[in-house]
Amino acid sequence: MAASEGVLRFGPYRLIPDRRLLTCLDQPVPLSGRPFDLLVALVERRDRIVSKDELKSLVWPHAAVVEDHTLVVTLAAVRKALGSDQGTAKLVGTIPGRGYRFLGQVQAGDLGDERIAPGPSGIRATSSHLPTPPDRLVGREDDIATLLGRLPQTRLITLLGPGGIGKTRLAIGLAEEAVRHYPDGVWFVELAPLRDPRLVVETIGAMFGLANQAGRPACEVMTTFLRRKQLLLVLDNCEHLAEEIARLAEAITTSCPTVTLLVTSRERLSIAGEFTFQVPALATPDSRLPVAVEDAMRFSAVRLFVDRAASVLGSFALTAETAPLVAEICRRLDGLALAIELAVAGLELLKPADLLSHLDARFRLSIGGGGRSAQPRHQTLRATIDWSYDLLSGRERILLRRMSIFAGSFTVASAGAVAMDAAGEPLELIHLMLGLVDKSLVVPLPDAGGERRFRLLESTRAYGLEKLDADERTRCLECLVDHLIGRYKQGEVLWPTTATDAWREAYEADLENLRAALEWAFATDGDAARGLELVGHTQELWFETQLVSEQRRWLEIAEMKVDETTPPAILARLRLAAGRSAHMGGRQHLESSLQALDLFRQTDEPLYTAIALSQVGKMLLRPGDVAEAEPYLREGVARLRAVGPTKFLVLALGIMVGMYWFANDIDGARAHLEEAHDLALGFGDARQLEFAAAVLAELDFAAGRREEAIARARAVQAACRMRGSTVSLATVSSNLAGYLVAIGDAAGGREVAGEALRLALALGANAWVMNCFQHLALAAAIDREPVRAARLAGYSDAYFRAEHRTRQPNERSLWLDLSARLEQALSPAELARLLAEGAAWSEEDAVAVALAG
């Protein structure tokens, strides 16, 4: 798109096209990809109406064909971002038959110094993390009003109802209305694709940026993190995980007093404090009374039918002839929202009278002929899907069945991988997909700027799986695994030179499909060899998504499947992943890393040989003892330089920084850090840029430039809050607390250390936890509280002794300062007694004392 004005201001919003940034009241608004381009196109042409065709050419300049529904979905994402909570619901107007126009009053100006305020601790600065619905919510105004009245007085609300009643759409609508009441935002988790209850808490934690690094109980990690947050957490489609959700909900409502849970399920959780709301069917006219047009539109089911029909046909209005027919269709469908939407798709082929006739025939077959044990509304939905399925061509049926193998979303290419023999040529596959989209059987997801993705509704997916026989299911799963192996092999190749956010956006989208593929591959009737290959090529995905515990489980399963036929290249990757450690000097997985190194040398893979060398060196590296690690690290970096610039070289240079620093060579450390920083900047790797800036603050502090270290650490803190980088935020906050107490700012150090301690506890990052206790002990010593300081010091020091860990240089200097103050304030006997008392504390005891007062 053309070059844009510096900053465009309208109402509370600031649009900065060159930065691809939209803010509201100085807070970033989550809008990117095609929706962002669409907003820029409309705002820049605010003096006139912009036609559909012009918008398509501006936003999708290289696309041969852009369907109208794609534009509608993209526009819905823009309207959602410009939400009604700021009184801006009509910023984008629709001019029937002509196009769209931006209606806001815009002031254009220079970029200047646009400020973006940091968000709440450990949470992204944006407030809404909800999916973008493809259509507007119809007929739920009274339900939302009722539930909004319950939210302030209820910690757990469960929306109950059968599949297709509209629970998910109601939950999203309610959360959109409630967002202003939750300073730390509203968060949405789709649980339908999950089958393993153990993944529930870990999946939610990954959304918040939590990586459980020390094997702490997952529920404890979650509640520790959420304890001081004020947010609404929406858990969608929970019935198949009800026991685990109930345990989590009980823990959150007990331990996190300002967190509210909104759950959708077909069954109640049955725990204390739960408020259940039975989602009603949409209202339909009474069959005993005549139906006039104006009467029919008072009923929410009819309004939904008319709204969706207008979307399908371009325009649709009730007439005296069609009003009774539409009313009867809605009655036959029991007011089920999903059934109505599926039926409306038939209007492309049938008039309302014919649609009613076809539904009657299908209902007599599907309901009247049997299945009396099912609930009536489940029978209705099943009959509607049966009817929709019968209208499909043979190839459309095959494609729909085979796409049900996807547990998550998928692309056209992915669909082709499991069904190409049914679809024929790629262009025919696209034609079949568009047909299923038009019939509301496949849902297009909002365009985020990458490859377009689709999904099946859970009811449609379950139906499709029923239609797959055992042989066809096995063939589809084999095709899915092979497709994902190829996809993640490609991801493995691209990761070293691709910006982290872009890579993660591209490959995280298949996470649910990956889980389903691995579950099948490692089952008794699966294919373990394929499973091993898939685990071997996905280690960067687990690293980027911070699902460390889940990766460990898959690695443990994979280890049991390894045999003499496992290819050395795959075994090497499994060993490398099993040996990965977050901390320098962590030797518990050293043997696995050494095995990986030997195998990569044998298979002659220069890049991965270099990676393994750096990983071994990292494990051997300890403050004051670099001799054992140095040859591995130097060889690893030399080999990576020979390969060329990669993110692996950035990581290896970061380890070299530690080596020089531990050897007290600050200049050498700074030189390698600057090289790592410049490389990370070239790759747009925000995580490594945060790391480099945090380490630079550490080097400033070590060199005596304490004020510079504090200023730099505060800047990194703000950046981490902006990105939601919880791990980096915990690290830099722990460091900053040490800097502050070192200059005598006990109050400031205590405040920052308390924040860092809560985050580190949630992450299970024990080394950072103990550093926080040490900083709090020094703050107490500065405030002339030697008894409290000595006990906290004893608790912290006991960890380092038990784990045989050496403090890093800055923590070591602060420990010496703390020790000197305690020795001056206390007698040797009294100091020894207090240190021993602290060493005997439980974590609960230590946290209570550390955070008191």
Side-chain angles (χ1 to χ4, degrees):
M1 297 180 66
S4 304
E5 299 160 280
V7 58
L8 299 158
R9 301 176 176 86
F10 46 95
Y13 292 96
R14 304 291 182 271
L15 178 64
I16 309 175
D18 289 341
R19 290 187 183 176
R20 298 189 67 76
L21 177 66
L22 175 68
T23 69
C24 178
L25 301 175
D26 294 326
Q27 300 293 328
V29 175
L31 191 70
S32 61
R34 304 296 188 194
F36 186 89
D37 294 338
L38 180 59
L39 176 60
V40 172
L42 288 170
V43 174
E44 291 183 338
R45 291 158 184 81
R46 55 194 176 272
D47 59 335
R48 60 182 175 88
I49 297 170
V50 187
S51 70
K52 286 184 179 180
D53 289 341
E54 184 180 359
L55 274 178
K56 291 175 183 178
S57 67
L58 289 167
V59 179
W60 293 272
H62 305 298
V65 177
V66 180
E67 299 293 331
D68 282 351
H69 69 78
T70 300
L71 178 60
V72 170
V73 169
T74 306
L75 187 63
V78 174
R79 284 175 166 153
K80 174 178 178 291
L82 304 176
S84 60
D85 58 324
Q86 297 296 335
T88 53
K90 296 183 179 179
L91 279 174
V92 178
T94 301
I95 315 300
R98 300 180 64 190
Y100 303 94
R101 184 169 182 177
F102 189 81
L103 304 178
Q105 296 295 315
V106 179
Q107 292 182 326
D110 295 331
L111 187 59
D113 185 23
E114 290 299 310
R115 181 174 61 87
I116 305 169
S121 168
I123 289 185
R124 295 171 180 84
T126 53
S127 59
S128 175
H129 303 266
L130 298 170
T132 302
D135 299 294
R136 69 190 188 95
L137 184 61
V138 176
R140 295 296 183 187
E141 297 83 0
D142 291 344
D143 297 332
I144 286 181
T146 298
L147 291 165
L148 281 173
R150 294 291 314 191
L151 278 176
Q153 51 190 303
T154 307
R155 301 281 313 291
L156 169 61
I157 295 178
T158 301
L159 304 184
L160 295 173
I165 197 78
K167 300 185 296 294
T168 298
R169 189 63 187 86
L170 175 59
I172 294 172
L174 175 61
E176 288 173 334
E177 290 294 324
V179 64
R180 68 175 69 89
H181 302 299
Y182 296 95
D184 292 323
V186 293
W187 299 74
F188 183 94
V189 187
E190 169 58 71
L191 294 172
L194 291 187
R195 290 295 175 263
D196 186 346
R198 294 174 299 179
L199 297 179
V200 169
V201 181
E202 192 165 341
T203 297
I204 299 170
M207 178 183 67
F208 288 122
L210 301 179
N212 188 2
Q213 300 185 13
R216 296 162 65 93
C219 197
E220 178 187 328
V221 170
M222 179 64 60
T223 54
T224 300
F225 178 75
L226 293 177
R227 189 161 291 138
R228 290 172 175 254
K229 301 294 184 283
Q230 298 178 52
L231 57 82
L232 174 65
L233 180 59
V234 184
L235 304 178
D236 189 41
N237 287 308
C238 298
E239 54 275 352
H240 60 303
L241 301 163
E243 289 187 12
E244 182 64 24
I245 297 296
R247 280 193 289 270
L248 174 63
E250 196 163 32
I252 290 176
T253 55
T254 301
S255 305
C256 310
T258 52
V259 173
T260 301
L261 294 174
L262 178 61
V263 173
T264 74
S265 179
R266 296 182 187 181
E267 60 182 72
R268 66 182 68 238
L269 299 182
S270 298
I271 65 172
E274 179 184 24
F275 172 77
T276 58
F277 181 83
Q278 190 73 42
V279 178
L282 295 173
T284 59
D286 190 327
S287 61
R288 297 168 296 180
L289 300 176
V291 181
V293 173
E294 59 273 17
D295 295 328
M297 287 300 289
R298 296 205 312 266
F299 295 91
S300 53
V302 175
R303 293 202 304 276
L304 177 67
F305 186 102
V306 171
D307 182 87
R308 300 305 191 252
S311 296
V312 169
L313 300 176
S315 65
F316 182 86
L318 289 183
T319 65
E321 178 186 359
T322 59
L325 296 170
V326 170
E328 184 61 22
I329 289 170
C330 292
R331 278 196 297 267
R332 296 293 177 89
L333 297 177
D334 290 328
L336 277 175
L338 177 58
I340 291 171
E341 294 191 4
L342 289 173
V344 165
L347 290 176
E348 287 192 303
L349 301 174
L350 304 168
K351 292 182 178 180
D354 299 322
L355 179 61
L356 178 59
S357 174
H358 278 72
L359 284 175
D360 273 341
R362 167 50 62 189
F363 275 46
R364 285 194 296 272
L365 185 64
S366 293
I367 298 177
R372 295 292 183 183
S373 62
Q375 293 294 321
R377 287 196 174 114
H378 287 299
Q379 292 176 335
T380 299
L381 183 58
R382 172 62 185 241
T384 309
I385 299 176
D386 273 336
W387 170 78
S388 299
Y389 187 76
D390 287 348
L391 290 178
L392 302 178
S393 69
R395 286 188 170 182
E396 284 177 326
R397 292 179 190 177
I398 294 173
L399 181 59
L400 183 66
R401 283 201 311 269
R402 295 187 180 180
M403 287 192 303
S404 69
I405 213 71
F406 292 105
S409 65
F410 51 88
T411 64
V412 172
S414 301
V418 301
M420 183 57 78
D421 58 331
E425 296 299 318
L427 284 178
E428 185 175 0
L429 173 64
I430 294 172
H431 175 75
L432 292 173
M433 284 282 289
L434 290 175
L436 293 173
V437 169
D438 289 340
K439 295 175 179 67
S440 297
L441 292 168
V442 173
V443 179
L445 299 183
D447 186 356
E451 197 171 2
R452 191 61 185 269
R453 299 189 72 86
F454 304 82
R455 69 179 179 91
L456 299 183
L457 296 174
E458 277 305 300
S459 50
T460 311
R461 179 173 181 253
Y463 182 91
L465 287 172
E466 285 182 18
K467 292 289 185 180
L468 282 175
D469 63 36
D471 290 340
E472 189 177 20
R473 178 178 180 275
T474 298
R475 288 196 302 274
C476 289
L477 284 164
E478 289 173 345
C479 290
L480 175 61
V481 173
D482 290 342
H483 171 68
L484 291 176
I485 288 172
R487 180 159 169 71
Y488 284 110
K489 276 185 175 179
Q490 177 194 48
E492 186 180 76
V493 171
L494 293 177
W495 186 87
T497 55
T498 304
T500 297
D501 288 348
W503 189 94
R504 177 172 170 170
E505 182 177 316
Y507 291 96
E508 185 182 13
D510 272 310
L511 182 58
E512 301 301 342
N513 299 325
L514 172 63
R515 286 167 171 156
L518 289 173
E519 285 173 4
W520 170 79
F522 289 133
T524 53
D525 60 344
D527 188 327
R530 280 184 164 107
L532 291 173
E533 189 171 6
L534 191 50
V535 174
H537 290 296
T538 53
Q539 60 176 300
E540 298 310 331
L541 176 72
W542 304 112
F543 171 69
E544 293 293 4
T545 56
Q546 302 187 47
L547 294 170
V548 180
S549 297
E550 183 177 354
Q551 182 190 24
R552 287 284 175 204
R553 288 197 294 273
W554 289 121
L555 288 169
E556 289 167 3
I557 294 171
E559 182 62 33
M560 293 186 289
K561 303 292 183 178
V562 168
D563 58 26
E564 65 278 0
T565 66
T566 304
I570 299 302
L571 183 59
R573 282 165 170 76
L574 296 174
R575 294 287 184 266
L576 185 71
R580 197 166 200 162
S581 173
H583 302 290
M584 294 181 185
R587 301 191 179 203
Q588 60 270 39
H589 302 298
L590 177 60
E591 185 59 34
S592 183
S593 296
L594 288 168
Q595 291 174 9
L597 176 57
D598 289 341
L599 287 164
F600 282 126
R601 289 189 192 276
Q602 294 171 27
T603 56
D604 192 26
E605 295 190 66
L607 176 62
Y608 278 88
T609 299
I611 296 165
L613 282 163
S614 292
Q615 184 163 298
V616 170
K618 180 179 180 180
M619 291 179 167
L620 295 173
L621 189 60
R622 294 184 176 183
D625 180 13
V626 303
E628 192 176 8
E630 186 170 1
Y632 290 97
L633 294 176
R634 290 196 181 281
E635 184 183 353
V637 167
R639 286 175 173 267
L640 286 168
R641 290 191 195 282
V643 172
T646 64
K647 289 192 289 187
F648 286 123
L649 178 56
V650 176
L651 294 171
L653 288 169
I655 303 170
M656 289 290 285
V657 170
M659 186 192 79
Y660 279 100
W661 186 19
F662 291 174
N664 203 31
D665 183 350
I666 302 299
D667 290 339
R670 188 179 292 273
H672 283 77
L673 184 63
E674 289 172 354
E675 182 182 359
H677 176 275
D678 291 345
L679 281 172
L681 190 62
F683 291 127
D685 191 338
R687 179 185 296 179
Q688 292 306 315
L689 288 171
E690 290 167 1
F691 166 79
V695 174
L696 191 55
E698 286 279 86
L699 296 179
D700 282 339
F701 185 84
R705 294 188 288 270
R706 295 184 170 185
E707 293 299 335
E708 291 92 329
I710 291 170
R712 199 182 300 276
R714 290 196 188 280
V716 178
Q717 258 193 329
C720 291
R721 287 194 176 99
M722 183 80 63
R723 280 178 40 81
S725 303
T726 310
V727 174
S728 297
L729 179 60
T731 307
V732 74
S733 296
S734 173
N735 293 343
L736 176 59
Y739 307 159
L740 291 171
V741 294
I743 64 170
D745 184 1
R750 187 181 298 107
E751 180 181 356
V752 175
E755 175 192 10
L757 176 59
R758 294 183 187 96
L759 282 175
L761 286 167
L763 293 167
N766 288 336
W768 301 331
V769 168
M770 296 307 161
N771 287 340
C772 290
F773 281 123
Q774 177 181 300
H775 301 330
L776 289 165
L778 182 52
I782 292 171
D783 284 343
R784 294 186 175 84
E785 297 181 75
V787 173
R788 181 183 186 189
R791 287 174 174 149
L792 287 170
Y795 179 74
S796 173
D797 193 47
Y799 164 80
F800 287 100
R801 293 178 183 276
E803 296 294 319
H804 304 288
R805 293 180 67 95
T806 305
R807 290 177 177 83
Q808 293 191 4
N810 288 343
E811 278 66 39
R812 176 67 177 166
S813 68
L814 293 171
W815 173 254
L816 293 175
D817 183 7
L818 172 60
S819 298
R821 290 175 183 271
L822 293 176
E823 289 169 0
Q824 185 176 5
L826 300 166
S827 69
E830 189 176 15
L831 176 58
R833 177 179 60 80
L834 292 170
L835 289 171
E837 288 177 6
W841 274 349
S842 66
E843 181 179 89
E844 185 177 358
D845 294 333
V847 170
V849 172
L851 299 181

